[in-house]
Amino acid sequence: MALYLREDFQQAWAGKDAFAEAAALTGETFRHKEGRRTLRFSLGGRRYFLKYHAGIGWGEVLKNLLQARAPVLGARNEYEASLRLAALGVDTLTPAAFGERGINPARRESFLITDDLADSVSLEDYCRDWPTRPPALHERRRLMRVVTGMVRTMHEAGINHRDCYLCHFLLYPDTLAQATIDSDVRCHLIDLHRAQIRDRVPRRWQVKDVAGLAYSAMDIGLSRRDWLRCLRAYAGVPLKTALGRDRAFWLAVKQRAEKLYRKDMKREPPPWL
């Protein structure tokens, strides 16, 4: 069994079974299926998010394996990924409580409670009107550098997200408007429950993350020059070097992103990379 309780939950749950307390929490429910329940709740005048895993069962485990997908067995991945990203200076979830018990992977019980990122907005929503109401040029470029830098840092640390889309980046807009340097911007990477942690991210998982992010940004009005700036920021080398040395990687990203776009949007993607 593993258990972590921050001081606020040590006090709130003193002398109680933390797993029973987590299972009994109620609030605004966002998901409740496949053995996982996600909700926002309040405790002691503060708001939190709960992800509670009751075990997905062997049927769901086998279904995922047959689809060549790694099943999500509990909250540990998200907990460990958030700690590692925070240690690297990447804004992400802040754990307030974590618990895991049980040997059977299909019936393992776990939970993760994080601080609520109140007043933040997903980049999917924030960028939605950019084609008709473009932001200030310096703000757009700063946000592009921040997001691509976050993904680059994540991959260099051996973490891949597996759901790397604009909707999973939560921005505090005021910090972007008032920023004088990139580190002033508060943009949090969330939904890490499918994250994988290794010594090094395999290329196919890098492609998946970068292509997912590119696909989700295809309709926000970025120019070809914007895309090339993102490419350079992610590669961390001059553009000419990145396009030469990593040509096969970026071709794979382009093909995967455009395939996703055609599948979901039922139309050809706009010109981009």
Side-chain angles (χ1 to χ4, degrees):
M1 184 179 80
L3 183 64
Y4 160 73
L5 300 177
R6 200 172 60 190
E7 185 177 354
D8 42 348
F9 281 89
Q10 289 178 15
Q11 295 175 357
W13 291 352
K16 300 177 181 179
D17 180 344
F19 291 88
E21 292 298 310
L25 288 169
T26 59
E28 181 184 2
T29 300
F30 293 86
R31 178 190 176 98
H32 194 179
K33 66 177 187 177
E34 296 171 355
R36 181 158 61 96
R37 187 163 56 98
T38 304
L39 59 88
R40 179 190 286 125
F41 70 97
S42 297
L43 183 68
R46 295 179 62 177
R47 295 201 307 176
Y48 304 89
F49 255 90
L50 165 73
K51 287 192 177 179
Y52 175 80
H53 299 255
I56 62 175
W58 282 112
E60 190 66 24
V61 170
L62 292 173
K63 184 180 81 172
N64 277 265
L65 293 176
L66 289 172
Q67 294 174 344
R69 298 173 59 189
V72 178
L73 301 176
R76 177 172 288 279
N77 276 17
E78 191 152 28
Y79 175 62
E80 293 183 345
S82 65
L83 293 180
R84 183 173 293 197
L85 287 173
L88 295 166
V90 176
D91 286 333
T92 186
L93 305 168
T94 301
F98 164 74
E100 180 184 66
R101 66 181 178 184
I103 298 175
N104 183 338
R107 295 298 177 194
R108 187 175 298 149
E109 180 184 13
S110 62
F111 66 87
L112 175 63
I113 295 173
T114 59
D115 292 335
D116 180 30
L117 294 168
D119 302 320
S120 63
V121 58
S122 80
L123 289 189
E124 181 179 55
D125 293 332
Y126 183 78
C127 302
R128 192 184 308 277
D129 295 331
W130 278 15
T132 55
R133 299 173 59 189
L137 179 62
H138 71 279
E139 289 188 9
R140 183 176 80 235
R141 289 181 177 175
R142 189 183 301 282
L143 186 56
M144 287 160 43
R145 288 195 304 269
V146 168
V147 171
T148 51
M150 291 169 70
V151 177
R152 177 187 172 193
T153 299
M154 176 178 71
H155 286 167
E156 287 177 343
I159 304 169
N160 60 286
H161 192 284
R162 295 175 69 198
D163 281 313
C164 194
Y165 306 108
L166 285 180
C167 60
H168 292 148
F169 292 81
L170 299 187
L171 173 71
Y172 284 86
D174 288 349
T175 67
L176 176 61
Q178 298 167 10
T180 56
I181 56 175
D182 291 358
S183 59
D184 289 337
V185 180
R186 291 186 60 200
C187 186
H188 291 71
L189 180 57
I190 66 165
D191 262 12
L192 299 164
H193 63 280
R194 296 183 67 206
Q196 297 172 322
I197 304 174
R198 308 176 178 83
D199 292 334
R200 182 178 180 182
V201 177
R203 190 186 116 162
R204 73 184 186 98
W205 291 110
Q206 282 184 271
V207 169
K208 177 176 170 58
D209 278 357
V210 177
L213 185 59
Y215 148 74
S216 66
M218 280 186 179
D219 286 333
I220 66 173
L222 298 183
S223 67
R224 176 171 169 77
R225 182 171 293 182
D226 288 331
W227 285 109
L228 292 175
R229 286 179 181 273
C230 291
L231 187 156
R232 184 178 62 189
Y234 177 83
V237 295
L239 185 61
K240 185 176 181 180
T241 302
L243 291 174
R245 183 193 67 185
D246 304 327
R247 179 177 176 82
F249 173 81
W250 290 110
L251 180 59
V253 167
K254 177 177 171 66
Q255 291 173 340
R256 185 180 181 96
E258 292 179 350
K259 182 178 179 180
L260 279 171
Y261 190 95
R262 293 186 186 99
K263 178 182 177 182
D264 289 353
M265 302 301 180
K266 311 302 182 187
R267 62 177 185 266
E268 284 298 305
W272 63 296
L273 191 61

